[in-house]
Amino acid sequence: MVEGARYDAWLLGRVQDGGLPHLGCERPCCEQARASGHVEYPCALGIRDRETGTLLLIEATPAVEPQIAMLHDLAGASGRGRTPVDGVLITHAHIGHYTGLMQFGEEVAATKNVPLHITPRMAEFLRSNDPWAQVIEYGQVDVREVAPGHTCEPLEGLRVEFIEVPHREEHSDTVAFKVHGPARTLLWVPDVDQWGRHDGLLPKLLEGVDVAYVDATFYDGSELPGRDLSRIPHPFMVETMQMWEAQAADRPGVMRFIHMNHTNPVLHDQDLREQVESRGFRIAEVGEHQAL
Ligand SMILES: [Zn+2]
Ligand SMILES: [Zn+2]
C-alpha cells in the first residue's frame, strides 16, 4: 500500500512501435514468437482515478483495442460503451504512439469528444492527415493543446507535465510526461535520442521521480546489422545503465526499461535480464502496477 495514493497506473505494453513478432523479421527473436504464439504490444500506460473511476490512456498504439480491454479488466471497468477512456495523451507522431487513434473514428468506436492532450505541433500533424483529421473534425476526440513546458490535468487532480525531449523530429515534436499523483511521480519517456548528445537531460528527467519508464530500444550497437543506427537514435541500455549505475544501486526498481526493440536480447535472454536487474534496473512487465 502506498500512503495517500489516488491513482493506479498499469503498463499495457512494453516494446518498440512494431511490436513482437515484428513485420519483416525472420530471425529467432520473432520466428520463435510466431511459433509459440507469443505477442508483445507497443508501449502504453493506463491510469485509473480510484475516486471517480475515470480512465486515462498514454499512447494510442496499433494494439489500442486489446490494450484498452486489458485496462478495463485491470481497473474493473465495464459498461463504458463508446467512451472507452476519459482521456488520451500521446508523446509524438511515430506509428507506435498515435495510429491507434484511428479506431476512435467513424468506422470503429465512434467515440464522443474524448479529450486528447497533445502538443500544438502534434495537433497540427493530426489535423493535416487523414484518417486522424476526420476523427478530430467529427468530434470523436477533443484536442486540448499543451505546449512543452506546460502541464495539463487529464484526470481530476492528476497533473501531467509535458517535457520536450530530442528525438528524430519528422512529423511532430516529442515529449516525455511527468505524471504527478498525490503520493508518487511517474516518468514516461519511451523515445529519446542518445543521452550523450544532450548534456544533463537524463538527470533533469529523473528529478523528483519515484518510478521511471525509460527508452530501452537497443541493448547495445550490435543489434541491427545493415541498418545505420545514427538514423535510429535511441540511448543504448548499456549507456543508460552506466550513467545511472550509482542511483540504481541506491534505489533499485526506480528505473524500469520499456520500448525494447524485438531484437533487444533482454527480451530473450534470462541470464542477461538477471544481470541488468542485479544492478538495480528492471525490465518492465506488462500488467505491472504503480500507485500514484
Ligand atoms: Zn516509439
Ligand atoms: Zn525479431
Side-chain angles (χ1 to χ4, degrees):
M1 279 293 285
V2 175
E3 197 76 28
R6 169 169 174 178
Y7 308 92
D8 297 297
W10 291 280
L11 190 68
L12 306 175
R14 61 172 184 169
V15 302
Q16 182 267 359
D17 300 44
L20 189 157
H22 202 93
L23 179 65
C25 180
E26 297 180 351
R27 287 191 269 167
C29 49
C30 293
E31 288 294 9
Q32 278 166 13
R34 286 183 194 107
S36 68
H38 179 68
V39 173
E40 295 262 4
Y41 301 134
C43 48
L45 192 78
I47 299 179
R48 170 183 66 177
D49 178 351
R50 292 176 190 171
E51 288 182 19
T52 62
T54 48
L55 300 176
L56 177 68
L57 180 69
I58 299 187
E59 315 288 18
T61 87
V64 68
E65 192 285 327
Q67 289 180 314
I68 288 181
M70 193 190 313
L71 175 60
H72 287 178
D73 208 33
L74 290 162
S78 63
R80 298 193 50 107
R82 292 184 183 278
T83 312
V85 289
D86 302 288
V88 179
L89 273 83
I90 290 175
T91 52
H92 69 302
H94 281 160
I95 68 157
H97 302 265
Y98 77 95
T99 51
L101 267 187
M102 67 186 175
Q103 298 212 36
F104 285 54
E106 200 71 355
E107 300 91 328
V108 189
T111 57
K112 253 193 143 64
N113 299 318
V114 174
L116 173 63
H117 306 269
I118 49 179
T119 69
R121 281 187 60 194
M122 182 75 204
E124 182 51 38
F125 169 75
L126 294 177
R127 285 192 192 104
S128 316
N129 289 282
D130 273 317
W132 302 279
Q134 184 183 290
V135 174
I136 295 170
E137 195 186 318
Y138 286 15
Q140 284 145 353
V141 297
D142 177 16
V143 172
R144 317 271 176 97
E145 295 185 10
V146 184
H150 290 75
T151 63
C152 65
E153 200 178 301
L155 298 179
E156 185 191 295
L158 186 75
R159 201 165 58 82
V160 179
E161 252 182 277
F162 280 46
I163 303 166
E164 187 161 21
V165 295
H167 180 56
R168 229 165 27 119
E169 295 205 9
E170 286 149 335
H171 309 295
S172 72
D173 44 9
T174 300
V175 286
F177 298 129
K178 265 189 201 178
V179 184
H180 300 276
R184 296 165 81 226
T185 293
L186 180 149
L187 173 71
W188 181 256
V189 56
D191 281 83
V192 64
D193 278 6
Q194 279 98 331
W195 308 118
R197 297 185 184 185
H198 307 277
D199 245 7
L201 178 61
L202 183 63
K204 180 186 140 197
L205 288 172
L206 267 290
E207 198 184 332
V209 162
D210 300 287
V211 57
Y213 286 106
V214 174
D215 182 349
T217 308
F218 301 113
Y219 186 74
D220 59 23
S222 65
E223 283 167 60
L224 290 181
R227 295 284 301 267
D228 175 4
L229 285 177
S230 69
R231 297 204 50 213
I232 315 174
H234 290 276
F236 296 137
M237 280 178 65
V238 288
E239 178 196 0
T240 308
M241 290 192 288
Q242 197 179 15
M243 288 178 70
W244 214 246
E245 185 97 64
Q247 292 90 335
D250 252 20
R251 297 173 68 204
V254 170
M255 190 182 283
R256 312 183 75 82
F257 290 123
I258 56 165
H259 204 268
M260 281 75 74
N261 200 52
H262 59 114
T263 52
N264 191 321
V266 295
L267 289 173
H268 312 287
D269 179 342
Q270 187 59 26
D271 291 344
L272 182 62
R273 183 196 169 115
E274 281 167 21
Q275 266 179 46
V276 167
E277 302 212 337
S278 70
R279 295 166 68 181
F281 301 93
R282 296 290 177 268
I283 312 301
E285 292 276 1
V286 173
E288 70 176 39
H289 170 259
Q290 305 291 340
L292 305 176

